[in-house]
């Protein structure tokens, strides 16, 4: 375990100019004291790890040191060939580059690991698009992907509502979500990050100027926060619902995880039959009606009155249908 950690530490320092003890501790998932002990152990073993003292200090490798400890174990080699999403790479215009990289890595593997690419491909496959929709590739995706890789500003036109708007954008990253591509970009004025659906761009023109990337920007974290805010922004109304234990279990599937989580967090104590009353954030009365219908008799709508009346009419119609049968 420690040997693997020491190798990872050397590789981290080889890939970066310098790292603080805190940065190494986070990457290696150990304490800073352990980092200090590991650095001393590497130095004693002949690896030229140097510690700069002071506020701006850190660990670095001196003299252009390069390790030869880059051989891949079987699980590492197989994981490497799982890291690509072939369809996404193809849509961004990177299929040839990815294929060449995989061939180079495969050629460098030990003979005992030559079957790693096939072993991984036969066991795992990532199908990114959602069900029941024909996947399409936005025409301007390759141009945006090139700008993202090159940190190049773009002038773009984007469909919004019934019209189009022009924007100067600093394209930071692309996200593929359920078959749809999104661009996370910074608008220089006012300097805010925004998210755009790629298929709504009508034109993209790369500029000569490059932007200086904010090194603190974290694309996965940004996307997660944006997605949660977007999902919550759709929930502009409320419905008071009484749920059976089965209804509680099925609620996330019916209304979505964010709404269910918020509603159940404020739920009162169960009554004698185990039913609880929750106030659910919902998109609209129409959407709530469609969603809660799926819970059947495991849910009773208490408010608003108009929504309860809808379910009362549904119940009467169902009773008449089944009585007739």
């Amino acid at each position: 375990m420690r040997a693997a950690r020491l190798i990872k530490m050397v590789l981290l320092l080889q890939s970066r100019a310098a790292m603080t003890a805190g940065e190494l501790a986070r990457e290696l998932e150990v304490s800073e004291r352990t980092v200090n002990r590991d650095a001393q152990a590497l130095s004693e073993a002949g690896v030229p790890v140097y510690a700069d003292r002071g506020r701006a200090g850190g660990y670095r490798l001196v003299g252009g040191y390069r390790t030869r400890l880059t051989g891949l174990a079987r699980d590492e080699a197989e994981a490497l060939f799982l890291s690509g999403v072939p369809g996404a790479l193809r849509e961004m215009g990177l299929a040839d580059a990815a294929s060449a990289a995989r061939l180079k890595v495969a050629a460098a593997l030990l003979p005992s690991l030559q079957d790693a690419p096939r072993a991984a491909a036969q066991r795992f496959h990532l199908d990114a698009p959602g069900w029941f929709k024909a996947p399409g590739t936005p025409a301007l995706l390759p141009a945006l992907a090139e700008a993202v890789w090159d940190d190049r500003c773009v002038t773009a036109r984007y469909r919004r509502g019934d019209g189009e708007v022009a924007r100067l954008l600093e394209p930071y990253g692309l996200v593929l979500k359920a078959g749809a591509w999104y661009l996370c970009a910074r608008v220089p004025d006012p300097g805010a990050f925004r998210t755009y659906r790629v298929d709504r761009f009508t034109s993209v023109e790369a500029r000569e100027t490059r932007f200086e990337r904010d090194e603190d920007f974290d694309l996965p974290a940004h996307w997660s926060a944006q997605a949660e805010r977007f999902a919550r922004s759709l929930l502009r109304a409320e419905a008071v619902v009484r749920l059976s234990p089965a209804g509680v279990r099925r609620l996330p599937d019916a209304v979505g995880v964010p709404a269910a989580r918020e509603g159940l967090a404020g739920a009162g104590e169960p009554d004698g039959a185990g039913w609880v009353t929750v106030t659910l954030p919902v998109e609209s009365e129409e959407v709530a009606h469609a969603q809660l219908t799926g819970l059947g008799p495991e849910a009773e709508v208490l408010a608003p009155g108009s929504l309860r009346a809808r379910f009362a009419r549904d119940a009467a119609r169902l009773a008449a249908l089944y009585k007739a049968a």
Side-chain angles (χ1 to χ4, degrees):
M1 183 72 177
R2 190 189 186 199
R5 189 176 71 242
L6 291 174
I7 292 172
K8 185 176 180 180
M9 183 174 178
V10 173
L11 293 174
L12 284 169
L13 293 174
Q14 182 175 298
S15 64
R16 306 181 193 181
M19 295 182 70
T20 65
E23 291 170 338
L24 284 167
R26 285 191 294 273
E27 290 281 356
L28 300 171
E29 298 181 350
V30 296
S31 67
E32 291 188 26
R33 180 174 296 180
T34 298
V35 168
N36 295 333
R37 285 200 300 265
D38 286 351
Q40 183 177 352
L42 286 170
S43 181
E44 292 173 353
V47 178
V49 177
Y50 177 78
D52 285 326
R53 304 298 178 185
R55 186 173 182 179
Y59 289 99
R60 68 179 72 244
L61 294 174
V62 297
Y65 178 83
R66 307 291 292 179
T67 180
R68 294 174 180 265
L69 299 173
T70 52
L72 295 176
R74 169 166 291 278
D75 59 345
E76 294 169 335
E78 291 176 348
L80 176 64
F81 286 94
L82 288 175
S83 62
V85 185
L89 292 170
R90 183 172 57 252
E91 291 178 7
M92 288 190 292
L94 299 174
D96 290 342
S99 177
R102 284 193 294 271
L103 286 172
K104 289 178 181 178
V105 172
L109 293 175
L110 294 172
S112 61
L113 301 179
Q114 291 294 327
D115 65 331
R118 184 177 182 279
Q122 292 302 318
R123 287 165 174 79
F124 301 97
H125 173 66
L126 176 59
D127 184 11
W131 289 100
F132 313 120
K133 27 174 101 165
T137 303
L140 297 173
L141 177 61
L144 286 170
E146 186 175 349
V148 167
W149 279 113
D150 208 23
D151 292 342
R152 192 177 293 275
C153 298
V154 299
T155 302
R157 295 192 66 81
Y158 184 82
R159 289 195 306 274
R160 190 174 68 182
D162 296 330
E164 288 187 1
V165 295
R167 289 284 185 269
L168 174 63
L169 300 175
E170 297 175 353
Y172 266 64
L174 288 161
V175 175
L176 177 61
K177 170 69 172 178
W181 284 95
Y182 296 85
L183 174 72
C184 299
R186 183 168 62 184
V187 182
D189 184 14
F193 284 97
R194 293 178 183 166
T195 303
Y196 303 87
R197 272 192 66 132
V198 172
D199 58 8
R200 292 181 184 168
F201 283 103
T202 58
S203 69
V204 172
E205 182 181 350
R207 309 273 296 233
E208 291 296 324
T209 55
R210 288 183 170 87
F211 63 91
E212 185 175 345
R213 181 174 287 266
D214 182 354
E215 295 302 327
D216 292 332
F217 178 78
D218 184 327
L219 180 59
H222 171 80
W223 174 257
S224 178
Q226 286 282 100
E228 187 165 343
R229 281 197 295 269
F230 174 73
R232 184 60 184 88
S233 71
L234 296 176
L235 307 178
R236 302 185 180 94
E238 289 183 343
V240 181
V241 184
R242 186 167 167 263
L243 297 166
S244 72
V248 170
R249 291 194 299 271
R250 292 165 50 190
L251 187 63
D253 293 330
V255 302
V257 173
R261 183 173 58 225
E262 185 173 328
L264 292 173
E269 292 295 322
D271 62 18
W275 287 58
V276 297
T277 299
V278 302
T279 300
L280 285 175
V282 296
E283 186 172 342
S284 66
E285 185 173 308
E286 290 74 15
V287 172
H289 176 252
Q291 292 175 327
L292 295 173
T293 295
L295 294 178
E298 307 303 331
E300 177 191 2
V301 174
L302 303 179
S306 55
L307 180 58
R308 181 179 175 86
R310 285 188 184 219
F311 279 94
R313 290 193 295 270
D314 288 350
R317 291 176 60 195
L318 283 170
L321 285 173
Y322 285 99
K323 183 178 180 180

